[in-house]
Amino acid sequence: MSKHTSATSDEETIQSKPGKPYPLGATYDGEGVNFALFSESSTAAYLCLYDAGDPSREVARIPLTERTELVWHIYLDGLQPGQLYGYRVDGPYDPKAGYFFNPNKLLLDPYARAINEPVTHNDSWLGYDYKNPSDDRYLIMSEEDSGPTMPKSVVVDSSFDWEDDQAPDVPLHRSVIYEMHVKGFTHLHPTLPENIRGTYAGLGSAESIDYLKKLGVTAVELLPVHQFTDESYWGYNSIGFFAPQNTYSSSGMAGQQVTEFKQMIKNLHKAGLEVILDVVYNHTAEGNQFGPMLSFQGIDNRAYYHQVGDKPEYYMDYTGTGNTVNLSHPRVLQMVMDSLRYWVTDMHVDGFRFDLAAALIRTDEEAGRVSSFLDTVAQDPILAQVKLIAEPWDIQSYHVGSFPVRWSEWNGKYRDALRGFWKGDDGKAAETSLRLLGSPDLYSSDGRSPANSVNLITAHDGFTLNDLVSYNEKHNEANGEDNQDGSNDNLSWNCGAEGPTDDPEINALRERQKRNFLTTMLLSQGTPMLVMGDECGRTQHGNNNGYNQDSEISWMNWDWNDKQQALFDFTSQLAALRREMPILSRRKFFTTEQVQFIRPDGHEMTQDDLNNPGTHCIALFIDGLQVTEQTEDGQDIGDEQLVWVLNAFWEDIPFKLPKIGRKQSMWEVVINTFDGQINPETEPTKGGQEFTVPARSSVLLRMK
């Protein structure tokens, strides 16, 4: 056994052993802690321990002498959970060669399970001489010690009483996803105790769970909860891929955030609700050569990031954030896979949505490496049990429909087609017909199913549903960027006035359009995704890029008027109808014998009809008698015969209902978005007779 003496004034003696290179990170075993840090090009590394009572005070700096397979490692006897630590890593500071080693900077452990304070900003965290006025000041190494102000990694005890926690394991095709923000959902909740509003405990509370169950969703998809830096309210600037965001903890930041997160998962699972994490592995919060040195840049810049080939001081930026994580490096790929498995095995999450997933499959041509991320995920037995959803684009490429068989995708083509159709744009009928059927043109030829199409009308990024029908233009002045940020191409329509209006006709049309969008999404084949607050008409006042709005612009407003309550009730009933009619959420694509599109005159639509730019009304006939499929519990999927009419035309359209067989066929209304009624008490209509479908509305009818 060796002894290491700190390099600080405390001169405390730490009992140590060589330790092991695996697992990476800080692992507590009940008697001490094993530390392991990968760094390919470094020449030295130091483990720094800090005082939990005074995190600015370094109490020990221990040179790491053991290195196995490019991993520095050591075991310290007697260390306990709650211990604060960080690393200093030495090597060349040679930015022109892609190296930024600077032992003056304290670095977060890439495998840290918790971080002890918010990651804000301090100039001392910059690895270069920020006081130098030159444009290439990043070439000059900073000698300022970042240790006193830098957040610290925390040793965590991973034990937790999960009791009999079971994953709800909701089939993808039966899922209804609710995209939400942990803080924003409960921050203004009127009945929750103030100390848990906006936290994991708030989301896991009985009040939150009751609301989600009444709404009828099956999974919450959380905007990023990996530890991130504070300039982004949304959380898309990760710096700790194993650490839950500490500002969402009501119980503390010295490891308590891990326990509180687990309790939230446990509570949601008991209610049958799944948890999907929006994860950002494509870039980090360190930015480009002018960004802060927080972790990866100082540990091994060339390993962790894609560089510009002949100018490695610069970063390849496929994400619009300054850098791109290099998943073509095997150790970086290992880190991402270890992170994913950790959140499944230790934290019990049920799936992931991958931000800018196209960036994860970028190659490193200069190094002769190809990212094997998709292949690695495909063979992983842990990830085979959870939902995997890609955002199938980045700032340079668009890959909707191109991901492998196990992957679902945010279907951006669904969003754009349906926005254009309900806005009244010409030439949208043909594509809309495919999107209603689960996008067979994208997913039917490679072993995937309709459920692999995650159907969305809105997302955190862009207008809310209310604003989609209330604004023609974005209004992002509150973001402080002179309204230059955010998309200019929203396919939105304000229905006749920009923003709030007292015009009753415009307001009635807006409510109808919201119901049209919600109905379309929840009746389409595929997996629908609702966005927090769309079910009650939440507005961001025309802001379509609330990334930095930790304000009422982005928070859920729980003070509803009658109109908002009515929209919630309508959405809840739609979700219930989807549950009760399994034919609306099949595992398989419909065949031509099972469905057909029909014209207002009752005849089958031809492709020419669908391609006609002036076609603004389509109707889908679903013949359940032709469907042979079972539900998960072995019951027949049902034999409903349905007619679903979507009239995006600005006038009423008389629609001739099908007359089936020799029996008198009678059609009853199930949904009418014109007045927002579900299962209204109305007289049925005989087959062969006309049913008037109101302008800009959708009607679902069922054979009685």
Side-chain angles (χ1 to χ4, degrees), residues 546-557:
Y547 76 100
N548 63 355
Q549 288 300 323
D550 190 359
S551 69
E552 292 191 3
I553 288 175
S554 290
W555 300 333
M556 180 80 161
N557 180 5

Side-chain angles (χ1 to χ4, degrees), residues 188-199:
L188 297 178
H189 199 289
T191 63
L192 284 179
E194 287 191 24
N195 67 307
I196 68 167
R197 294 178 189 174
T199 68

Side-chain angles (χ1 to χ4, degrees), residues 378-549:
Q379 58 77 46
D380 189 276
I382 301 297
L383 300 184
Q385 303 172 53
V386 300
K387 295 174 172 66
L388 303 175
I389 303 169
E391 182 184 32
W393 52 78
D394 59 23
I395 65 169
Q396 294 185 7
S397 58
Y398 191 73
H399 295 285
V400 174
S402 300
F403 273 69
V405 66
R406 280 226 51 244
W407 288 75
S408 302
E409 300 174 5
W410 271 23
N411 192 342
K413 293 186 177 183
Y414 180 97
R415 174 198 61 209
D416 295 345
L418 269 300
R419 284 188 179 194
F421 178 80
W422 280 116
K423 186 157 72 79
D425 290 348
D426 287 343
K428 295 297 180 182
E431 186 178 3
T432 295
S433 69
L434 292 169
R435 304 297 158 244
L436 302 180
L437 296 176
S439 297
D441 56 322
L442 300 176
Y443 304 112
S444 68
S445 63
D446 61 359
R448 290 194 279 180
S449 77
N452 292 117
S453 174
V454 176
N455 297 332
L456 66 156
I457 298 295
T458 61
H460 66 275
D461 190 1
F463 281 139
T464 65
L465 181 60
N466 178 84
D467 294 357
L468 183 68
V469 301
S470 304
Y471 295 91
N472 284 348
E473 310 295 336
K474 66 184 183 184
H475 297 271
N476 295 357
E477 290 79 9
N479 296 349
E481 299 183 38
D482 296 323
N483 206 32
Q484 298 301 304
D485 63 304
S487 175
N488 294 314
D489 183 18
N490 297 287
L491 292 171
S492 62
W493 177 47
N494 64 19
C495 297
E498 188 72 356
T501 178
D502 293 329
D503 188 313
E505 289 188 8
I506 292 176
N507 284 329
L509 176 56
R510 287 176 177 174
E511 292 306 305
R512 191 155 76 250
Q513 288 287 76
K514 293 178 205 175
R515 293 192 292 267
N516 286 333
F517 280 122
L518 290 166
T519 299
T520 306
M521 192 167 63
L522 283 159
L523 298 191
S524 294
Q525 297 296 308
T527 304
M529 187 187 83
L530 283 166
V531 174
M532 180 184 89
D534 277 358
E535 72 277 12
C536 63
R538 187 178 74 85
T539 179
Q540 293 187 168
H541 312 293
N543 192 319
N544 77 345
N545 188 37
Y547 76 100
N548 63 355
Q549 288 300 323

Side-chain angles (χ1 to χ4, degrees), residues 94-115:
D94 185 3
K96 285 190 176 296
Y99 299 113
F100 287 86
F101 294 106
N102 185 343
N104 300 305
K105 305 304 171 183
L106 186 74
L107 305 172
L108 293 168
D109 181 356
Y111 279 70
R113 279 7 184 208
I115 294 170

Side-chain angles (χ1 to χ4, degrees), residues 565-578:
Q565 183 64 53
L567 188 61
F568 173 89
D569 293 341
F570 180 80
T571 309
S572 174
Q573 291 176 71
L574 278 175
L577 183 70
R578 182 182 174 87

